[in-house]
């Protein structure tokens, strides 16, 4: 039974991630003029925030907040950019800070805020009480460190009501990224 639940969550996540590539173009067309132009090889940037520290020169670029066609299940995709020359070892610490007790080394920290209703949404958990987000320990291919001058594409999954059309994306220790459209 537990295996079936894990398979269902894995299948749902795979379908959601597959839909991201088809909806990224729609997100780019429907977003504000502040967004960075993208090429076919790089995702659009709907907003960004810079980490304020003398330890690392990092920024986060929000690429998409895509709700599934059936509603509710929503994927946040973002890029962690290391602008420095050195490898950054602080990423897993920054992105594993969360309001909830997720298993260790999970990149579960982003939250989505509906400014109109003043409701904050956190990364969802599956039936095994694990967040539907990548591991930060590298066991699923997501590195805990980003080499200098490089970036890493990351995702998290949420449940958003159908009436939410834009959100503020929040990460610990980064300024909020406001007015990100939900597509």
């Amino acid at each position: 039974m537990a295996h079936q639940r894990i398979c269902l969550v894995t299948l749902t996540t795979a379908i959601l991630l597959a839909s991201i590539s088809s909806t990224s173009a729609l997100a780019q067309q429907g977003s504000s003029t502040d967004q960075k132009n993208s090429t076919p090889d790089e995702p659009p940037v709907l907003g960004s925030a810079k980490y304020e520290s003398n330890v690392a020169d990092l920024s986060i670029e929000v690429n998409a907040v895509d709700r599934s066609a059936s509603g509710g299940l929503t994927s946040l995709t973002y890029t962690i950019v290391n602008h420095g020359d050195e490898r950054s070892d602080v990423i897993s610490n920054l992105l594993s800070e969360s309001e909830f007790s997720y298993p260790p080394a999970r990149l579960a920290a982003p939250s989505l805020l509906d400014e109109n209703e003043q409701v904050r949404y956190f990364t969802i958990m599956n039936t095994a009480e694990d967040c539907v987000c990548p591991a930060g320990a590298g066991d699923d291919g997501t590195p805990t460190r980003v080499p200098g001058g490089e970036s890493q594409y990351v995702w998290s999954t949420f449940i958003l009501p159908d009436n939410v059309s834009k959100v503020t994306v929040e990460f610990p220790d980064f300024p909020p990224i406001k007015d990100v459209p939900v597509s």
Side-chain angles (χ1 to χ4, degrees):
M1 183 74 161
H3 177 69
Q4 290 173 333
R5 289 182 191 153
I6 291 170
C7 289
L8 179 59
V9 169
T10 303
L11 178 60
T12 302
T13 303
I15 292 168
L16 181 61
L17 291 175
S19 72
I20 291 169
S21 62
S22 65
T23 58
S24 290
L26 293 174
Q28 183 178 5
Q29 292 172 356
S31 63
S32 71
T33 57
D34 294 346
Q35 107 181 21
K36 178 175 111 178
N37 291 331
S38 62
T39 66
D41 293 337
E42 65 181 58
V45 177
L46 303 179
S48 64
K50 189 147 177 62
Y51 178 59
E52 303 297 329
S53 167
N54 60 358
V55 176
D57 188 7
L58 303 173
S59 66
I60 292 182
E61 298 175 343
V62 173
N63 306 116
V65 179
D66 289 325
R67 188 175 10 243
S68 68
S70 59
L73 195 61
T74 305
S75 178
L76 164 68
T77 52
Y78 57 98
T79 305
I80 303 168
V81 182
N82 182 351
H83 302 281
D85 296 328
E86 302 285 324
R87 177 182 76 187
S88 175
D89 295 331
V90 300
I91 292 168
S92 63
N93 292 335
L94 286 173
L95 297 182
S96 62
E97 295 175 18
S98 179
E99 303 277 329
F100 298 101
S101 297
Y102 294 111
R106 300 301 275 177
L107 299 179
S111 63
L112 304 179
L113 174 64
D114 176 355
E115 297 270 1
N116 291 333
E117 299 295 325
Q118 289 298 299
V119 176
R120 182 169 280 110
Y121 298 93
F122 296 95
T123 305
I124 62 172
M125 295 178 84
N126 61 22
T127 56
E129 296 186 2
D130 193 5
C131 73
V132 183
C133 61
D139 59 349
D140 71 343
T142 304
T144 56
R145 300 167 181 92
V146 176
E150 294 188 21
S151 59
Q152 176 65 42
Y153 194 63
V154 190
W155 57 272
S156 291
T157 307
F158 302 82
I159 298 290
L160 283 182
D162 290 342
N163 66 334
V164 176
S165 62
K166 65 181 178 175
V167 293
T168 295
V169 182
E170 299 175 323
F171 295 89
D173 299 321
F174 286 82
I177 303 168
K178 296 182 174 270
D179 297 321
V180 177
V182 178
S183 57

